[in-house]
Amino acid sequence: MSSNSIQIAPFEMKYASDFKELNEAWISQYFKMEKMDYQALDHPKEYILDNGGYIAVALKGEEVVGVCALIKMKDSIYDFELAKMGVSPSEQGQGIGFLLGKHILEKAQSLSASTVYLESNTILAPAIRLYRKLGFVEIEGFVSPYQRCDIQMVYTIE
């Protein structure tokens, strides 16, 4: 499959269950769902979209094969957080995460952001490689609401 068959589209409420299921799958596989996960995944419109954020959906035909959120941060240093990126296990390794990440960073730039923050866990080695490929660099010092977070990264928009 080439990435040409993948379309990146803005989130619509009809994709809410896909957004939750794709994220719940990877989180539950490696970690446990936390309070902040449920807030974002159960209420994407209220928690993400209504607060100035954005969610992208990767479509293969009509099937949702990936999702990623851009959450507006209430912080003086970081404008947005790249969060809740999930790709269907059957579609992983085919560049969908990279397409979603590039799209999210372009969206952040269009919203006049200068920085995009993310937090993850180093056990997710393919994700960390993806973030580095997108241009994120490791940082320290931000307090995370997630127990699973052991790495924080930032992308600076030129």
Side-chain angles (χ1 to χ4, degrees):
M1 175 197 92
S2 74
S3 58
N4 294 342
S5 63
I6 300 297
Q7 299 298 316
I8 307 296
F11 178 84
E12 298 175 37
M13 283 309 293
K14 67 181 181 181
Y15 302 130
S17 63
D18 298 293
F19 179 64
K20 181 175 182 176
E21 288 167 17
L22 285 171
N23 277 290
E24 203 166 22
W26 73 261
I27 294 168
S28 298
Q29 179 180 352
Y30 295 99
F31 311 103
K32 67 177 177 119
M33 290 284 287
E34 298 181 43
K35 180 182 175 185
M36 295 290 290
D37 294 315
Y38 288 111
Q39 284 183 325
L41 299 177
D42 288 339
H43 308 285
K45 181 181 182 306
E46 296 82 358
Y47 186 78
I48 299 170
L49 303 176
D50 290 351
N51 288 318
Y54 174 81
I55 303 171
V57 178
L59 298 168
K60 184 178 182 181
E62 296 293 314
E63 180 187 3
V64 176
V65 294
V67 292
C68 188
L70 185 65
I71 300 174
K72 180 79 175 133
M73 294 184 70
K74 295 174 178 75
D75 185 80
S76 61
I77 300 172
Y78 307 114
D79 299 310
F80 288 93
E81 176 183 4
L82 183 152
K84 303 299 182 240
M85 179 186 278
V87 174
S88 174
S90 64
E91 302 292 333
Q92 290 176 1
Q94 301 185 46
I96 295 168
F98 185 75
L99 291 174
L100 280 166
K102 275 185 53 173
H103 179 83
I104 286 291
L105 293 174
E106 289 167 3
K107 182 65 175 182
Q109 186 171 13
S110 77
L111 295 171
S112 301
S114 59
T115 55
V116 178
Y117 168 86
L118 70 79
E119 42 194 31
S120 189
N121 188 294
T122 51
I123 197 171
L124 304 171
I128 303 303
R129 281 193 301 275
L130 168 64
Y131 302 143
R132 287 192 170 113
K133 183 176 177 183
L134 287 166
F136 282 85
V137 295
E138 194 170 340
I139 59 164
E140 291 181 10
F142 200 75
V143 177
S144 173
Y146 292 99
Q147 291 180 357
R148 66 179 173 261
C149 174
D150 73 355
I151 185 170
Q152 299 168 323
M153 303 177 89
V154 69
Y155 176 86
T156 303
I157 296 171
E158 301 297 325

